[in-house]
């Protein structure tokens, strides 16, 4: 369904840009992808976009960020900034769900199941770091689908 | 150990134009240098990370009684801050801000602007206030207050040119800021008026 959410991906992107190299250096398995295996997010139909965005923001808030604590204070602060921004955006997406503008079709349900399977196929810290390292894949997809 | 060193008092957040600072009163110990450490907790930490606190390294073991929070308070959620005093191995209890702070609570001041007439053009110079800020410039021909024109400036370039102005007329200008991230605007700046140069062309 149609769901209009005002958000600044630029703030999230700026936070991620500052730690991207550090986070991706902690991900030894570069051949695997959590978000893009086997199919890219770009294949998701527009009618399913709101639902999968909400599912992905919930995935990052509930599963990813909490397993990304590092020994680096700067990195931890940027992860906090991103996590809190995700929380703020998810709240807006929830309002769309309550107004029934965020219906989950079969495709997004399947796609999200695949992402969870990719995630649970790795040990939790590796999976969390890899997911965080793929944040720009999510942000690029969200901006392209505006 | 800890109980000997009193916690900082008067802990408060000062926030103007999306710049946020924590301040507190100094803890006085005769003949000693007391240091302070600051930590923050966003809604994510409170609800999804077991209420964990995150230290701000620039304000760890600092002698200052002020800490810049701007980089860390960068999401539209509610935050709490805390500070403690440290003297050698002794630490005070944490002093935590009362209530929550959200960046939407920042106070927004009108922009600083300079209005110039340059020949038959009106130029507006706006002071840069950082990436969060847009500007809404209103202008009108003096005496025609009902026919106000508007220009929205998203990126501050050094000078804004106002369109469709007549030669030899007096124009008045005022502006306000707008912050998209919190969807709020400042009040308007005082109005400034200038007269454009008269038409100097001569029929020959």
């Amino acid at each position: 369904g149609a769901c209009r959410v005002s958000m600044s991906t630029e703030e999230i992107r700026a936070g991620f840009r500052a730690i991207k190299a550090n986070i991706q250096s902690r991900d030894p398995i570069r051949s695997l992808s959590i978000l893009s295996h086997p199919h890219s997010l770009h294949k998701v139909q527009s009618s399913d976009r709101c639902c999968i965005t909400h599912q992905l923001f919930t995935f990052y808030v509930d599963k990813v960020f909490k397993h990304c604590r590092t020994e680096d204070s700067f990195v931890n602060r940027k992860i906090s900034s991103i996590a809190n921004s995700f929380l703020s955006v998810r709240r807006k997406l929830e309002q769309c769900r309550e107004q029934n503008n965020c219906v989950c079709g079969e495709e997004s349900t399947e796609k999200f199941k695949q992402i969870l399977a990719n995630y649970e196929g790795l040990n939790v810290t590796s999976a969390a770091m890899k997911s965080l390292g793929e944040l720009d894949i999510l942000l690029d997809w969200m901006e392209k689908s505006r | 150990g800890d109980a000997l060193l009193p916690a900082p008092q008067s802990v408060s957040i000062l926030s103007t134009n999306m710049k946020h600072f924590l301040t507190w009163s100094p803890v006085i110990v005769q003949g000693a240098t007391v240091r302070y450490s600051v930590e923050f907790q966003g809604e994510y930490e409170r609800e999804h990370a077991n209420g964990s606190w995150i230290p701000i390294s620039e304000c760890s073991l600092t002698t200052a009684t002020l800490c810049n929070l701007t980089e860390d308070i960068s999401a539209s959620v509610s935050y709490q801050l805390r500070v403690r005093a440290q003297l050698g191995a002794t630490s005070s209890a944490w002093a935590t801000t009362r209530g929550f702070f959200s960046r939407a609570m920042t106070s927004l001041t009108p922009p600083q602007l300079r209005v110039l007439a340059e020949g038959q053009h009106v130029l507006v110079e706006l002071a840069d206030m950082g990436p969060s800020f847009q500007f809404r410039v209103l202008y009108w021909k003096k005496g025609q207050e009902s026919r106000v024109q508007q220009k929205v400036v998203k990126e501050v370039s050094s000078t804004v040119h106002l369109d469709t102005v007549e030669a030899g007329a007096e124009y008045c200008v005022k502006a306000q800021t707008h912050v998209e991230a919190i969807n709020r605007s400042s009040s308007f700046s005082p109005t400034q008026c200038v007269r454009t140069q008269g038409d100097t062309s001569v029929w020959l």
Side-chain angles (χ1 to χ4, degrees), chain B residues 11-189:
Chain B
V11 182
S12 64
I13 295 174
L14 303 177
S15 176
T16 305
N17 293 331
M18 297 295 270
K19 297 274 192 296
H20 324 297
F21 294 88
L22 186 72
T23 69
W24 57 90
S25 304
V27 171
I28 307 297
V29 175
Q30 287 309 327
T33 304
V34 175
R35 294 176 181 276
Y36 308 93
S37 291
V38 175
E39 295 183 345
F40 72 92
Q41 180 188 79
E43 199 170 322
Y44 173 79
E45 285 74 31
R46 207 163 42 250
E47 291 179 4
H48 296 270
N50 311 308
S52 55
W53 292 83
I54 298 184
I56 299 179
S57 34
E58 292 84 353
C59 308
S60 291
L61 294 174
T62 177
T63 53
T65 56
L66 177 86
C67 176
N68 189 340
L69 313 169
T70 306
E71 282 293 312
D72 296 296
I73 300 205
S74 54
S76 294
V77 295
S78 58
Y79 286 85
Q80 265 198 310
L81 281 297
R82 68 181 187 179
V83 55
R84 71 178 173 183
Q86 287 167 284
L87 182 56
T90 306
S91 300
S92 76
W94 288 104
T96 305
T97 46
R98 240 191 302 259
F100 295 106
F101 174 77
S102 158
R103 63 180 181 172
M105 296 155 72
T106 195
S107 69
L108 295 176
T109 61
Q112 289 174 341
L113 69 154
R114 210 158 66 103
V115 182
L116 315 157
E118 208 164 78
Q120 294 173 13
H121 299 281
V122 175
L123 312 179
V124 179
E125 287 176 356
L126 291 154
D128 187 359
M129 297 177 72
S132 308
F133 286 80
Q134 298 172 10
F135 299 86
R136 183 163 164 249
V137 179
L138 300 187
Y139 62 102
W140 60 94
K141 190 173 168 185
K142 196 153 189 177
Q144 295 184 8
E145 276 64 20
S146 62
R147 294 177 58 199
V148 175
Q149 297 180 70
Q150 165 177 298
K151 194 155 193 159
V152 175
V153 180
K154 300 223 171 180
E155 270 110 27
V156 178
S157 61
S158 57
T159 307
V160 180
H161 285 74
L162 301 188
D163 316 319
T164 62
V165 294
E166 296 165 24
E170 189 169 10
Y171 281 87
C172 298
V173 181
K174 64 180 181 181
Q176 68 179 160
T177 64
H178 178 72
V179 180
E180 193 73 32
I182 58 174
N183 196 24
R184 277 185 47 217
S185 299
S186 74
S187 54
F188 275 100
S189 65

Side-chain angles (χ1 to χ4, degrees), chain A residues 79-94:
Chain A
I79 292 173
S80 166
S81 171
I82 294 168
N84 279 289
S85 293
F86 264 60
L87 201 59
S88 170
V89 171
R90 189 182 67 166
R91 184 171 301 136
K92 294 176 183 175
L93 288 167
E94 240 134 52

Side-chain angles (χ1 to χ4, degrees), chain A residues 124-137:
Chain A
V124 68
T125 304
S126 302
M129 279 300 175
K130 177 179 279 300
S131 303
L132 183 55
E134 294 185 7
L135 211 58
D136 45 7
I137 293 175

Side-chain angles (χ1 to χ4, degrees), chain A residues 10 14 25 36 51-52 55 86 94 96 99 105 111-112:
Chain A
E10 187 37 44
S25 70
S36 302
C51 168
I52 199 144
Q55 288 175 319
F86 264 60
E94 240 134 52
C96 283
Q99 294 147 18
K111 177 63 189 173
F112 186 60

